[in-house]
Amino acid sequence: MEATMENTRTTGTADVAWDHDDFQTVGTPGHDDPRMTAGNVDVFYGEKQAIMNVSIDIGANEVVSFIGPSGCGKSTFLRCLNRMNDTIDICRVGGSIMLDGQDIYDPSIDVVPLRARVGMVFQKPNPFPKSIYDNVAYGPRIHGLVDSKAELDEVVEQSLTRAGLWDEAKDRLDQPGTGLSGGQQQRLCIARAIAVSPEVILMDEPCSALDPIATARIEELIHDLSSQFTIVIVTHSMQQAARVSDRTAYFHLGRLVEVGPTKQIFTSPQHSLTQDYITGRFG
């Protein structure tokens, strides 16, 4: 259910005051072929500022990992990318976030189709209390993306195949999705997200509740899907970020400190805060 109250956007210093300084993100926050572009994004929960002047491009068909210590703002920023923060009445978002050149916070934007274009996979698998088939079919049905049962069957099969779940689920599509294992449930949620052909998939710590074998399956899936989708993943695991992402962005206390190619971030970071985090001095 969508929130009944939309967030208030802060677009200038006249709306709310905060401290400006000379802090600049280091590295390569820009991209030659951006699918999404965030510019000078600020996020407030009431009077508390959680995100401070963050600017970053998310490239088409790339995997970007957001890393940083707990409470650094990485999940808050991720939720801005498909307006999930709209569900929090005291949250205010400033700056601009563009998807294919269109501001997703423009008042004319309907968040329902937006969240089909920018899907979300959450930390804990959350299949609907429906059959495996109906979990995947739900999005195409409500968005009117199919015209026949045969077409819907094809979408369900293709989505489960892309999510690496078809062979395990094809003989029990009428059984509850909640009856699957944790790793299978997370792949079902990924199948549900891609069934509506999103442009971007957001993943908020998608493997934190999974065992190592299930985690490896999800990481393989992320690699496979990156040829078709843009993927942004929040992770507490630096090893996971190193394995799955093309670029990595390091957040610290609401600031985007550094962005760069993943190998460079983990071998020769430019900022001392990034260096301290990846070497375990804090986190």
Side-chain angles (χ1 to χ4, degrees), residues 132-279:
I132 294 170
Y133 182 98
D134 286 336
N135 262 273
V136 182
Y138 180 82
R141 279 176 176 150
I142 66 168
H143 292 290
L145 301 179
V146 292
D147 297 321
S148 67
K149 177 64 163 58
E151 192 175 353
L152 184 59
D153 288 347
E154 184 178 359
V155 169
V156 170
E157 180 176 348
Q158 288 180 348
S159 300
L160 288 170
T161 299
R162 285 177 171 179
L165 191 58
W166 175 250
D167 288 342
E168 299 165 56
K170 63 183 178 181
D171 296 325
R172 47 175 173 159
L173 295 177
D174 59 343
Q175 296 182 17
T178 52
L180 297 171
S181 70
Q184 289 173 328
Q185 287 187 25
Q186 195 65 301
R187 281 183 280 147
L188 177 62
C189 293
I190 293 171
R192 186 177 66 196
I194 65 180
V196 293
S197 300
E199 299 172 51
V200 182
I201 303 173
L202 310 178
M203 297 185 174
D204 192 358
E205 299 187 52
C207 301
S208 64
L210 304 181
D211 61 54
I213 294 175
T215 294
R217 293 292 300 274
I218 298 295
E219 290 181 358
E220 290 172 4
L221 179 58
I222 290 170
H223 175 75
D224 292 342
L225 292 176
S226 65
S227 65
Q228 306 161 59
F229 306 101
T230 296
I231 299 174
V232 186
I233 178 172
V234 165
T235 179
H236 275 294
S237 169
M238 288 182 280
Q239 294 85 357
Q240 182 172 78
R243 288 191 296 265
V244 305
S245 58
D246 301 302
R247 282 194 304 154
T248 295
Y250 172 62
F251 285 79
H252 183 79
L253 296 178
R255 300 280 193 187
L256 178 55
V257 175
E258 183 169 355
V259 185
T262 295
K263 182 177 180 180
Q264 178 262 311
I265 289 290
F266 287 111
T267 58
S268 55
Q270 299 181 32
H271 200 288
S272 61
L273 284 172
T274 314
Q275 176 72 29
D276 288 347
Y277 180 70
I278 65 172
T279 55

Side-chain angles (χ1 to χ4, degrees), residues 83-163:
R83 293 182 55 175
M84 286 297 295
N85 286 325
D86 283 16
T87 61
I88 304 172
D89 290 344
I90 64 170
C91 184
R92 295 173 289 129
V93 179
S96 67
I97 299 177
M98 314 292 285
L99 173 63
D100 295 330
Q102 184 176 30
D103 186 352
I104 69 171
Y105 281 88
D106 187 284
S108 66
I109 295 294
D110 184 342
V111 297
V112 175
L114 169 66
R115 290 172 188 158
R117 296 174 66 194
V118 185
M120 174 77 85
V121 176
F122 294 94
Q123 180 174 357
K124 183 179 179 180
N126 61 339
F128 298 147
K130 300 175 180 288
S131 69
I132 294 170
Y133 182 98
D134 286 336
N135 262 273
V136 182
Y138 180 82
R141 279 176 176 150
I142 66 168
H143 292 290
L145 301 179
V146 292
D147 297 321
S148 67
K149 177 64 163 58
E151 192 175 353
L152 184 59
D153 288 347
E154 184 178 359
V155 169
V156 170
E157 180 176 348
Q158 288 180 348
S159 300
L160 288 170
T161 299
R162 285 177 171 179

